[in-house]
Amino acid sequence: MADLTTERLSLRSFGPDDVDFVFDMYSRWEVQRFIGLVPRVMTDRAEAVERVERYAALEHPVHGIWAITDRVTGGRLGVALLKPLPASGPESPLLPSGDVEIGWHLHPDAWGHGYASEAARAVLDHAFAGGLPRVLAVTNPGNRASQVVALRIGMTHLGTTDAYYNATCELFGIDRPAAP
Ligand SMILES: CC(C)(COP(=O)(O)OP(=O)(O)OC[C@H]1O[C@@H](n2cnc3c(N)ncnc32)[C@H](O)[C@@H]1OP(=O)(O)O)[C@@H](O)C(=O)NCCC(=O)NCCS
């Protein structure tokens, strides 16, 4: 998975040293409240270990799950992801829809600085440079902060849908820009 660099951020792969950060972030209700069909906070550090192992094991030329870090200090800020978007359906785990989703989870200490938008722009550029024709984002209808990020990086609001994650979501999308 390629590292990505922006003006203020470095997006890199996860490793075992990130477990405490991941546990701290996902054990907070303000982070989890709009994530998943039935939001719940992480309560067991073993879940964070398993999560980091899963993130670190992802090997794909374009998809990725990155640790968003401060480019200067290396301080951890959050998670950015680019991965297959699951379709709604009875299967568990849900089957891929054929579309790719972009996502962002920031630690509350890092909110309010535009880091999510900055990281997401880099992930989007990477997605299109890697040949993806279209990227989607799904947000809980109440997740205004996330919807602002989607719009800010140039995505279009495509309406409300039940097509993904067995949940009602606001859907955002963007197509690869035409070559100049
Ligand atoms: C979504 C998230 C990454 C945004 O992080 P961020 O960019 O640092 O967020 P900001 O605080 O800068 O807010 C982004 C914008 O949304 C606005 N906003 C934030 N909360 C809002 C709310 N409750 N209602 C309306 N607007 C809101 C902010 O005012 C800001 O716009 P501005 O820069 O013009 O003032 C962060 O809130 C987060 O990690 N949430 C938990 C995880 C999550 O829900 N991820 C998305 C899953 S789809």
Side-chain angles (χ1 to χ4, degrees):
M1 196 178 74
D3 287 1
L4 306 176
T5 305
T6 72
E7 195 182 331
R8 294 178 295 172
L9 307 172
S10 173
L11 279 62
R12 57 152 177 85
S13 341
F14 276 89
D17 289 352
D18 297 315
V19 168
D20 287 340
F21 173 78
V22 163
F23 186 42
D24 180 20
M25 185 169 83
Y26 289 117
S27 62
R28 293 164 185 257
W29 179 244
E30 65 266 48
V31 172
Q32 291 287 58
R33 68 190 174 124
F34 291 128
I35 298 175
L37 187 55
V38 182
R40 52 171 285 276
V41 295
M42 228 181 231
T43 52
D44 183 351
R45 194 174 182 280
E47 274 184 89
V49 172
E50 185 275 330
R51 180 85 64 105
V52 167
E53 282 172 359
R54 191 154 45 83
Y55 286 175
L58 200 93
E59 280 297 339
H60 189 278
V62 183
H63 301 169
I65 300 186
W66 292 266
I68 305 171
T69 64
D70 183 301
R71 189 175 163 178
V72 176
T73 65
R76 297 165 179 84
L77 305 171
V79 176
L81 53 93
L82 184 71
K83 68 175 194 56
L85 174 59
S88 292
E91 296 85 1
S92 181
L94 293 172
L95 297 176
S97 63
D99 274 303
V100 173
E101 70 167 322
I102 186 171
W104 35 78
H105 304 157
L106 256 62
H107 192 288
D109 291 350
W111 291 3
H113 299 279
Y115 292 143
S117 307
E118 189 169 324
R121 274 196 201 96
V123 171
L124 213 47
D125 288 348
H126 162 82
F128 292 140
L132 297 185
R134 176 165 92 139
V135 175
L136 299 180
V138 293
T139 76
N140 182 296
N143 196 348
R144 290 294 308 150
S146 189
Q147 291 157 17
V148 169
V149 172
L151 294 172
R152 194 169 276 163
I153 63 169
M155 303 185 90
T156 302
H157 183 216
L158 301 173
T160 308
T161 179
D162 295 319
Y164 308 105
Y165 282 111
N166 286 340
T168 300
C169 300
E170 296 303 330
L171 180 66
F172 295 81
I174 185 167
D175 292 332
R176 183 173 56 214

